[in-house]
Amino acid sequence: MPEQRRHWKSRSTEHGVHFFQRQTGINLLLEELKLPEQTWAVAPRYVSVALTNACELKCPYCYAAKRPARLGARETSAWLKELDRGGCLGVGFGGGEPTLHSEFSTICQTTAIETDMAVSFTTHGHRITEELATQLRGYVHFIRVSVDGIGATYEKNRGRTFDDLQRRIDLIAGICRFGINVVVTDQTAWELNSLLDYAERWGAEELLLLPEQGTAGRSGIGELAYAEMIRWLASHRRSNIRVGISRMADLSGVSIADAFPMEDRLSAHAHIDANGGLRTDAFTQKRIPIRESVIEALRELREAV
Ligand code: SF4
């Protein structure tokens, strides 16, 4: 049965005690409350997990690994339970396209039932059906939908119709809270106002900008587009939608609100790839294979980076 009650999960660190409610996404940090060191979290605050490298789309700027790989539901569940006990507050499933994993809904349900972590996933949206929406409702707390441009720009980037995306977003809005992810490229940088308008119209909570990273054959976001994105960030109209930007971006010269400026990288986030390797993020090649314990792999990764 999907959960009904709302409860707070706490995470104690050297910086205070962080309370988090996964149903609403509310965060509360009590910096003046310092608990003994033996209570401090050993897991990162947030973990992303690439369930599969598979994806049926061919976005030109895709950075996902192309070698076929997928995680098993049982090993994923064991790692997530260990991370939950270690103080992790949320997991974000991705890929590739996570909904292509044959046990996707089971993995989301098991994680929501067996842990206190928030369950989220990032998707292109085109595989969300009424049936999948029913399986996920009550077991997923936030969905990030990739919307790289409006209308023709979107269709050129994603090879799917914008009309179909709108139908899928209606289904997604009926599952849980959701946000819009935008890969900011030399094309999409000039459509951020329209994307903010669409995010509002659809009822999204967040607009997350992901400046395009360089991959083999692509150099990433160009200087002009980057400058336009920074200009827009500094001057966009007021909105109830939370506007965020990936930590991968170089934000020198931009004022942003960061609730955890003192947190080191691996305390904030770690990434599990579809081959069962632990990394600091999806773009970094350095990886530690997870054997029995993901916390043990985290210790090894800390020493290696
Ligand atoms: S939808 Fe995502 S994973 Fe699939 S090709 Fe596009 S960027 Fe890559």
Side-chain angles (χ1 to χ4, degrees):
M1 277 287 288
E3 69 187 338
Q4 303 298 331
R5 84 195 156 93
R6 293 182 174 181
H7 62 270
W8 294 90
K9 180 170 185 184
S10 66
R11 170 181 166 87
S12 162
T13 69
E14 62 191 305
H15 307 297
V17 183
H18 178 175
F19 291 93
F20 175 65
Q21 198 179 59
R22 67 182 185 177
Q23 295 86 356
T24 59
I26 294 174
N27 290 275
L28 198 62
L29 179 62
L30 301 187
E31 288 174 288
E32 62 281 7
L33 185 57
K34 301 273 194 323
L35 298 183
E37 188 169 349
Q38 59 270 27
T39 69
W40 292 356
V42 290
R45 181 159 48 85
Y46 172 77
V47 171
S48 55
V49 179
L51 288 178
T52 171
N53 285 344
C55 183
E56 71 275 58
L57 303 196
K58 293 192 168 44
C59 309
Y61 38 75
C62 180
Y63 64 85
K66 300 295 174 254
R67 201 173 317 143
R70 79 195 278 280
L71 293 173
R74 197 178 298 175
E75 63 186 338
T76 306
S77 167
W79 296 335
L80 292 178
K81 281 197 261 186
E82 189 188 3
L83 288 162
D84 182 46
R85 289 193 300 274
C88 185
L89 297 180
V91 56
F93 296 120
E97 171 54 39
T99 60
L100 273 168
H101 194 292
S102 56
E103 295 174 277
F104 177 65
S105 53
T106 305
I107 291 171
C108 290
Q109 290 172 359
T110 307
T111 308
I113 292 167
E114 295 184 348
T115 80
D116 285 327
M117 293 189 293
V119 179
S120 64
F121 68 94
T122 302
T123 178
H124 58 51
H126 293 282
R127 299 179 53 83
I128 305 289
T129 59
E130 294 271 8
E131 186 187 359
L132 183 57
T134 303
Q135 290 165 1
L136 296 177
R137 203 169 291 125
Y139 300 105
V140 173
H141 306 98
F142 200 83
I143 298 175
R144 296 194 162 82
V145 194
S146 305
V147 184
D148 304 333
I150 298 293
T153 310
Y154 175 88
E155 294 180 355
K156 189 160 179 238
N157 282 332
R158 295 264 158 183
R160 291 288 190 275
T161 69
F162 201 62
D163 283 349
D164 186 56
L165 173 73
Q166 298 203 27
R167 281 194 292 278
R168 308 292 173 162
I169 286 185
D170 280 345
L171 288 171
I172 286 167
I175 300 173
C176 63
R177 300 178 295 114
F178 72 101
I180 301 296
N181 279 10
V182 184
V183 178
V184 186
T185 67
D186 292 351
Q187 287 73 45
T188 60
W190 280 268
E191 297 189 356
L192 298 178
N193 274 333
S194 305
L195 282 157
L196 184 60
D197 291 344
Y198 265 93
E200 275 179 346
R201 202 176 307 158
W202 287 332
E205 281 190 13
E206 180 185 89
L207 184 69
L208 181 63
L209 308 186
L210 309 162
E212 181 191 348
Q213 303 291 305
T215 55
R218 301 242 330 171
S219 54
I221 185 169
E223 269 179 39
L224 268 180
Y226 195 86
E228 170 60 16
M229 180 190 74
I230 296 296
R231 186 203 64 74
W232 185 84
L233 269 176
S235 63
H236 68 81
R237 66 177 172 76
R238 289 173 76 94
S239 165
N240 288 333
I241 292 187
R242 187 169 66 243
V243 174
I245 185 161
S246 138
R247 281 193 170 214
M248 299 300 294
D250 170 10
L251 292 173
S252 38
V254 186
S255 305
I256 53 163
D258 184 354
F260 303 96
M262 59 297 185
E263 217 176 26
D264 72 73
R265 213 163 151 198
L266 274 171
S267 298
H269 169 245
H271 176 75
I272 298 176
D273 65 35
N275 288 296
L278 190 73
R279 309 179 189 216
T280 51
D281 56 67
F283 297 94
T284 309
Q285 293 308 310
K286 180 75 196 166
R287 63 190 293 279
I288 301 291
I290 306 171
R291 288 173 284 273
E292 287 300 303
S293 162
V294 63
I295 298 298
E296 190 49 47
L298 188 73
R299 279 193 200 105
E300 283 182 52
L301 187 60
R302 270 187 198 287
E303 284 167 17
V305 294

